[in-house]
Amino acid sequence: MSELIVGRRYAKALFAAAKEKGTILEVEQDLLNVLDLLEQNRDFRTVLEHPNISAEAKSDLLKRAFEGRVSEIVLNTLLLTVAKGRETILVPMIRAYQAYTNEELGRAQAVVYSPFPLSDSEKAAIAEQFGKLTNKTITLTNEVKPELIGGIQVRIGDKLYDGSLAGKLKSMERSLTQNAM
């Protein structure tokens, strides 16, 4: 849990610096590139987070991987996390930065759960509807959950909108159980 808290602090400081320089989106893209490497290359992440590898060796690794490929502010933030022994906060920090950027720009990430893959037009219609509901620009991904039977569930942040048949059946069951008592 402390990784999340510390990650948010680093993200908040980085976001403030990027906002001051007018580079919020560039920094976000650089961080997403870092996140992609951390998630795609397990060996890189393992070395970076290994407690027996020196901070100097980790800094050299980061410089070789990112120098000239990400902005100076992002590289310096990565190096700072290593210098402070906080390598494990990188993923939570990047996620928190993305949340700050989304909030600042009126964007939201949504996951749509459906019993079958949705077409592009269905995704666009759902994004439009939930954009109106939340007053944000929605970017969504679709995850297939056959157990929903029909309908969809939409998760935006901590909120779940359940329009699935399975959800309606559970709600009906709760209602009947409460009324029977």
Side-chain angles (χ1 to χ4, degrees):
M1 186 56 124
S2 67
E3 288 178 352
L4 292 173
I5 294 167
V6 175
R8 280 191 203 118
R9 286 184 186 148
Y10 276 71
K12 189 173 188 177
L14 179 58
F15 183 80
K19 186 174 180 180
E20 186 176 301
K21 291 184 175 197
T23 59
I24 292 171
L25 291 174
E26 293 85 351
V27 168
E28 179 186 37
Q29 187 57 54
D30 287 348
L31 289 173
L32 291 175
N33 291 338
V34 171
L35 180 63
D36 188 47
L37 178 63
L38 292 173
E39 289 179 340
Q40 300 299 321
N41 190 332
R42 289 309 220 174
D43 293 338
F44 183 87
R45 188 170 177 177
T46 300
V47 168
L48 196 59
E49 293 179 355
H50 199 284
N52 293 335
I53 297 176
S54 71
E56 185 178 312
K58 292 176 184 181
S59 292
D60 287 342
L61 178 66
L62 287 171
K63 286 177 186 174
R64 282 194 313 246
F66 298 114
E67 202 163 38
R69 292 180 180 91
V70 298
S71 61
E72 188 176 330
I73 191 170
V74 170
L75 182 60
N76 288 341
T77 301
L78 297 175
L79 296 173
L80 178 65
T81 61
V82 167
K84 298 286 186 179
R86 301 277 194 185
E87 302 87 350
T88 58
I89 69 152
L90 289 177
V91 172
M93 178 192 74
I94 293 168
R95 299 269 187 237
Y97 184 92
Q98 201 173 16
Y100 287 128
T101 302
N102 287 342
E103 188 63 35
E104 177 76 14
L105 301 177
R107 301 184 313 194
Q109 302 289 118
V111 180
V112 178
Y113 303 100
S114 61
F116 50 84
L118 298 174
S119 69
D120 289 341
S121 62
E122 290 169 323
K123 288 185 219 174
I126 292 167
E128 183 180 339
Q129 279 300 117
F130 280 91
K132 289 176 185 173
L133 181 69
T134 60
N135 250 356
K136 295 185 181 213
T137 302
I138 303 292
T139 304
L140 62 86
T141 55
N142 180 213
E143 290 188 22
V144 176
K145 287 175 93 177
E147 65 270 18
L148 293 179
I149 306 168
I152 61 170
Q153 291 177 333
V154 179
R155 178 170 298 283
I156 302 174
D158 294 343
K159 197 161 191 137
L160 178 69
Y161 301 90
D162 192 350
S164 68
L165 187 54
K168 290 182 189 317
L169 290 171
K170 283 180 188 172
S171 176
M172 190 184 310
E173 179 184 21
R174 277 192 303 271
S175 177
L176 290 171
T177 305
Q178 288 174 351
N179 289 337
M181 292 181 178

